[in-house]
Amino acid sequence: MAGKTHEIGAFWRFFASGFRTWDQTAAFFPSSRFLVNALTDHAELREARTILELGTGTGTVTRGILKQARADAEIYSVEIDGKLIESASTSIRDPRLRWIHGSAADLERLLPDHGCAGPVDVVVSSLGMSLLPPELRDAISDAVLRTLAPHGIYIQYAYVHARAMTWSPERGFSRFNIRRYLSPRFGELNRTIIVPNMPPAAVYTCREPRAPLTAGA
């Protein structure tokens, strides 16, 4: 009963976070089990020694990663919202998991500070890339490319409607094509559409990471 109560509380914290920091959260509802499966059911993730999650949220995807990951994997979960990571770390206990409170743009500082000595094998991202300010989006992408091993994979989802329209309190209406954004950064992209999710989403599995695009990165 206590676990169920905590899940309901975590849901409402995520929902409230959507209102409080919409550009950061980009969602009102946690990922469905179908979306979680699409993000975590990968051979590379099951074989990975080092896994990085971006955007812990309520820990829904974190749990999926833990189910798939090997027993000796090191898993780092980064979340900028202090209330969300506090909630997730209270309900999820696993010796493989390190919680990191901070921005994904600062990976090169945060990961070594938490014991990650080398490149990571898999990055699973739930960040709302379509609503991030362009300069922050680029900074995060550059940090990921510098952090990811040459053989590594990057898994990112985006809501399908973002290609037609997104809305930001700061920047108003816009469009964001995640495939067009990721294509120059990776040699191989594969897309899976997840209809049973609120709202429907597309999962991009990206391989063959390239050098960061930002000048001076």
Side-chain angles (χ1 to χ4, degrees):
M1 182 66 182
K4 193 67 175 177
T5 301
H6 191 278
E7 287 182 14
I8 294 172
F11 173 88
W12 283 111
R13 275 187 288 275
F14 189 86
F15 190 80
S17 180
F19 279 103
R20 188 175 67 252
T21 55
W22 173 248
D23 280 5
Q24 177 180 297
T25 309
F28 291 122
F29 305 102
S31 303
S32 71
R33 62 185 176 90
F34 303 99
L35 179 54
V36 172
N37 288 343
L39 288 166
T40 61
D41 188 12
H42 298 271
E44 291 98 332
L45 192 148
R46 289 188 288 273
E47 297 167 1
R49 289 190 177 275
T50 309
I51 301 167
L52 172 61
E53 179 188 22
L54 304 180
T56 309
T58 61
T60 304
V61 177
T62 314
R63 290 182 175 90
I65 292 172
L66 289 169
K67 288 179 181 178
Q68 296 284 352
R70 52 192 287 170
D72 62 345
E74 295 181 359
I75 304 166
Y76 301 86
S77 187
V78 179
E79 173 58 57
I80 198 169
D81 189 310
K83 291 183 179 180
L84 289 179
I85 199 166
E86 180 182 0
S87 175
S89 62
T90 299
S91 63
I92 305 173
R93 304 293 177 90
D94 192 294
R96 298 171 292 175
L97 187 56
R98 281 86 162 170
W99 302 102
I100 302 178
H101 180 205
S103 169
D106 299 324
L107 291 176
E108 292 166 289
R109 174 181 59 83
L110 293 172
L111 289 174
D113 286 351
H114 289 78
C116 183
V120 301
D121 301 310
V122 176
V123 178
V124 180
S125 174
S126 298
L127 299 179
M129 299 292 276
S130 65
L131 290 180
L132 292 177
E135 62 276 10
L136 177 58
R137 183 192 301 143
D138 290 345
I140 291 172
S141 297
D142 289 342
V144 167
L145 290 171
R146 288 192 293 262
T147 300
L148 194 59
H151 64 270
I153 67 168
Y154 172 71
I155 307 163
Q156 170 75 57
Y157 80 84
Y159 295 126
V160 173
H161 68 261
R163 291 190 63 173
M165 184 183 69
T166 62
W167 180 80
S168 161
E170 295 184 6
R171 293 177 300 282
F173 291 99
S174 63
R175 297 179 181 180
F176 181 69
N177 188 320
I178 185 71
R179 176 184 283 275
R180 187 175 299 162
Y181 183 80
L182 293 173
S183 291
R185 293 167 169 82
F186 295 90
E188 177 186 333
L189 274 73
N190 294 299
R191 184 183 70 169
T192 303
I193 300 294
I194 308 299
V195 175
N197 190 72
M198 183 62 74
V203 174
Y204 289 86
T205 304
C206 310
R207 297 178 175 87
E208 302 175 14
R210 295 171 174 164
L213 296 182
T214 302

